Amino acid sequence: MNTLFDCLKKGTAPQQVVAFAREYLREEGFEELYYDRLFSPRLSGRYFITPFPDVLFAFTMGQRRAYIQPARMAFAHVDQPCFKVKARPEFRSMESDMLNVEVYGGMMDHTWFDRPLGMAGTVFLKGESLFHPQAVLYDSKRPVAVIPGIAIHMQRDANSGWKIDRQKELMPVTGVTGASWTEGAFVHFLARELNVDDSEILSFELNLYNYDEPQLIGLSRDLVLSPRLDNLASVSALLEALVEGERGNGINLIGLFNHEEVGSFTRSGADSDLLKNILEGIYHALGCDSEMFRASMAGSVYLSVDGAHGAHPNYPDRCDTTTRAYVGKGVAVKGSGTFKYATDAKVQAILTGLSEKYDVPLQIINDRNNIRGGSTLGPMIGAHIPMRGCDIGIPMWAMHSARETMALSDYEALCQIVTAFFAD
C-alpha cells in the first residue's frame, strides 16, 4: 500500500509519474539505459529506459541467452484528465485573478468545482545551447487555484441536468491580488518558485491537479478514495510486480505510456512505434536478427492494465446483465466481441489458470450493448506488434472524476496476478 499511496501523491503530472518510477526502480537495483545510445543489457540484468521524460520502459533479463525468446509484458498509462495551462494564461474577471486553461481528457466536469488545485509539470529554462534548454520538474506542492462553484440560488437548474460551459465556467481563480495580474505575471510567479530570473524561462508544460490526498475510507477502511486512481493504481501495481515477479529465464517488461486519455497518437503514446523500437534494441543486444525478433514476438503475451468500470450500487442498470465487475471482488478481465479490447481467449485462459493456482480473484466484464466503456492501450499495442494480449484492470467507481474509489483488496489482487504472470 505504501507504493500505491506514494505513487498517487507524487504522480501529479505524467513527468512526475515517470520520475517516481525512475526513483522506485533505482532503489530496487535497476540500471538506466539510454534511448539515444546503443543498448547493452546483460543477462540477469534489470534495466529501465526513459526515451522521453513522460514515458518509461523497464525490463528484467533472464539468465540464459536464447535467440528466440518470447517476452511477457504489461502496459499502463501515466496521464489522467486534468487542466492544461495555456501559453498566455493570465486574465481577470470580476476583480479576480484567473488562469486560462484547457480540459485534457474526458473528465467529469462537475466534480472539479471547489477542489484545491495544485500545479505540476515541466518548465524549460535557458541551457548550455539553443538546442539543449534545461528541463526542470515543477510541483507547487500546495493548492494554487480553485474553480469556485456557484450558489444554488443563482443556478436553479444545477440539480437537473445543468450543462457546464468549459470555456466560461471551468476557469480557475488564483487569487485577488489586483492589477498586477497582467501578461507576464504567471511567468514571474514561476520564476519566483524556481528562484530564477523571468528571462530564463523559455516555455512550460503544466497542468492543474486535484491536491486532495488518497484516503482509506469505509467502516473497515477497505476502500481507497483518491485522485488519479485511473491509472496510477495500475502503474504502481506494474512496478511492484516487475520487481517481485522476476523469472530465472526470459524477458519481463513493463511500459508506461502517456497521452492515453487523448488517443495515444503521439511520440510517447502506445499508438506509435516506440515499443517496437525498444524491443528491437533489446533483442538486437541478444544477437537476434529480424526473423528471430518476429518469431519471439509471435510467442509473446502482454497485459494492458487500466481501470475498469465497477458495478455501481446506485446505478445497477449501467452494467451488463450477466458479465459485470464488482468492486472488492477481484481483477476484471475486459471482454469485447467487437475487439474493442485486446483480450484474447488464450491469454484469458492463462490468467484463469494463474488465478486458480495462486488463489487470486478474477472476474469478467463486458460493456452493455447501449453503453460504451472507455478505450485502452491494448488494441493499439497488438496492432503495432502482432501478438496475443489481454485487457485487465481494477474495478472502480466514478472513473474520470476528480476523486475515484476502488477496493484496496482489488489492488492487492492486481499485484498478485501480474506478479504471477511474470514469475510462473
Side-chain angles (χ1 to χ4, degrees):
M1 188 178 76
N2 290 340
T3 302
L4 170 64
F5 273 43
D6 283 348
C7 186
L8 292 170
K9 291 177 183 178
K10 296 178 181 178
T12 51
Q15 301 92 328
Q16 275 71 5
V17 178
V18 170
F20 168 80
R22 286 164 59 101
E23 179 183 3
Y24 178 86
L25 292 167
R26 279 199 182 103
E27 290 177 354
E28 295 294 338
F30 281 67
E31 178 183 343
E32 184 167 12
L33 300 177
Y34 299 93
Y35 188 60
D36 58 352
R37 305 177 194 175
L38 295 177
F39 288 178
S40 56
R42 301 177 300 276
L43 295 178
S44 301
R46 311 168 99 192
Y47 303 96
F48 70 89
I49 306 164
T50 54
F52 305 105
D54 58 344
V55 60
L56 177 142
F57 299 91
F59 61 97
T60 59
M61 301 285 287
Q63 299 173 357
R64 181 173 59 88
R65 184 180 298 277
Y67 294 120
I68 297 177
Q69 187 171 160
R72 297 181 193 172
M73 296 175 273
F75 306 101
H77 65 88
V78 298
D79 60 324
Q80 58 277 149
C82 63
F83 295 96
K84 297 286 187 179
V85 180
K86 291 185 178 179
R88 297 171 61 184
E90 316 94 333
F91 73 100
R92 302 196 77 235
S93 176
M94 303 302 290
E95 299 298 317
S96 299
D97 305 339
M98 310 292 292
L99 203 62
N100 194 2
V101 298
E102 63 180 306
V103 173
Y104 175 92
M107 67 165 56
M108 292 177 64
D109 295 354
H110 68 278
T111 66
W112 287 83
F113 287 117
D114 306 309
R115 299 284 183 184
L117 301 178
M119 184 186 300
T122 305
V123 180
F124 286 92
L125 309 178
K126 291 179 179 179
E128 295 180 359
S129 70
L130 292 178
F131 282 86
H132 294 89
Q134 179 186 359
V136 178
L137 286 185
Y138 170 73
D139 191 324
S140 65
K141 296 187 177 180
R142 63 183 177 91
V144 296
V146 64
I147 301 173
I150 189 167
I152 189 70
H153 316 83
M154 300 176 184
Q155 189 71 47
R156 293 291 183 179
D157 62 345
N159 295 327
S160 57
W162 168 31
K163 183 173 176 56
I164 296 169
D165 184 331
R166 288 182 168 182
Q167 182 64 35
K168 176 184 174 184
E169 296 169 273
L170 289 184
M171 291 295 154
V173 175
T174 62
V176 289
T177 58
S180 62
W181 191 248
T182 57
E183 185 174 348
F186 181 71
V187 167
H188 184 63
F189 161 77
L190 290 178
R192 290 202 318 269
E193 291 284 286
L194 299 175
N195 197 27
V196 299
D197 189 78
D198 295 17
S199 63
E200 293 295 306
I201 296 178
L202 299 173
S203 64
F204 53 81
E205 182 181 349
L206 297 167
N207 63 257
L208 299 181
Y209 65 90
N210 183 4
Y211 190 79
D212 291 339
E213 292 204 345
Q215 296 174 305
L216 287 176
I217 66 167
L219 298 181
S220 301
R221 293 168 57 85
D222 54 350
L223 295 172
V224 180
L225 175 66
S226 175
R228 301 178 289 281
L229 288 179
D230 173 29
N231 192 31
L232 298 195
S234 301
V235 169
S236 176
L238 295 196
L239 290 170
E240 292 200 60
L242 184 67
V243 169
E244 297 297 326
E246 190 169 352
R247 290 181 288 158
N249 286 306
I251 295 172
N252 291 337
L253 179 142
I254 64 170
L256 307 180
F257 291 99
N258 196 6
H259 304 133
E260 191 275 342
E261 299 292 359
V262 292
S264 297
F265 190 58
T266 66
R267 58 161 174 75
S268 300
D271 196 7
S272 71
D273 286 335
L274 188 55
L275 172 62
K276 184 178 181 183
N277 292 343
I278 295 292
L279 289 169
E280 285 178 338
I282 296 171
Y283 278 82
H284 179 77
L286 289 173
C288 299
D289 60 23
S290 59
E291 282 296 290
M292 296 170 183
F293 175 73
R294 177 192 55 76
S296 295
M297 291 300 100
S300 297
V301 291
Y302 70 93
L303 303 177
S304 167
V305 189
D306 204 345
H309 293 287
H312 200 295
N314 291 334
Y315 302 92
D317 60 331
R318 305 300 171 89
C319 55
D320 186 63
T321 308
T322 58
T323 50
R324 57 187 66 171
Y326 295 100
V327 170
K329 299 297 183 183
V331 177
V333 175
K334 305 175 184 179
S336 171
T338 60
F339 301 100
K340 175 187 167 185
Y341 301 117
T343 300
D344 175 283
K346 180 177 180 179
V347 185
Q348 182 177 331
I350 292 170
L351 289 177
T352 301
L354 292 172
S355 168
E356 294 174 352
K357 180 176 179 178
Y358 293 97
D359 193 26
V360 182
L362 208 63
Q363 46 188 338
I364 311 299
I365 183 174
N366 288 104
D367 290 340
R368 282 181 66 92
N369 293 335
N370 58 351
I371 300 178
R372 180 178 174 83
S375 61
T376 71
L377 307 175
M380 301 174 194
I381 290 168
H384 282 274
I385 306 178
M387 54 184 170
R388 295 183 183 273
C390 190
D391 269 291
I392 66 173
I394 298 172
M396 58 183 66
W397 296 317
M399 192 184 298
H400 287 204
S401 169
R403 285 173 72 89
E404 300 155 325
T405 302
M406 71 176 191
L408 182 59
S409 62
D410 290 340
Y411 174 77
E412 294 166 345
L414 179 62
C415 290
Q416 290 174 315
I417 198 72
V418 182
T419 299
F421 173 78
F422 282 144
D424 194 274

